[in-house]
Amino acid sequence: MRRIVAHDGSCDAVSVYACGGGGVNHRDEDYDGKQPDILDFAHVIVSFSNGCSASLDLCMFAEDMQTEYVGVVGTKGKVEARCPECQFRLTTRSAKSIAPGRTPPLEAERNKPIVSHIHPDAKIKEAGFHEGATFFELSAFVEAAVGSKVPPVSVRDGLMAVALGVAAHRSLDEKRCVLISDVLPGYAPP
């Protein structure tokens, strides 16, 4: 989510709030007499220095298949991507919905969503989870490792991914919002 919101480097994450736990999965497992503390549900909210916020909703037991959803809501509309449906949906705000006032537009006044379906090659889907994303991630890693392409992520991206994860776990443990500067002393976002 950070790479979507902070893609141009003009902002970055400033705080994380999370709630969740281990509710269903791994409850019957035992490791040296201890039950694992694996999270299987969570809600995570990340606030950014430009005023944006993003959220992650994780539930590893409520669905009968693995699903992925990314949604972005802004002043111009909403963009959604869904897997395994391989669906991309764009809905822009109509002139009526932008007009001042609190009366929502009637259905006939709303813009209709543009829906696209992406059909990944079956071999790519078989190569890994997340509708082929594992295949593309590993391909990009190999290309960067052999020096034929620039890595698609930076060291900073990796550092921030770990910092966000640490902040989310600390937030869960301490039941509070955690500043990224609490996890990375001296950190100041752009």
Side-chain angles (χ1 to χ4, degrees), residues 82-102:
R82 297 177 179 272
C83 285
E85 297 94 339
C86 296
Q87 182 186 81
F88 177 81
R89 179 181 170 111
L90 171 66
T91 308
T92 57
R93 293 181 68 198
S94 69
K96 171 72 174 169
S97 67
I98 296 171
R102 297 187 42 94

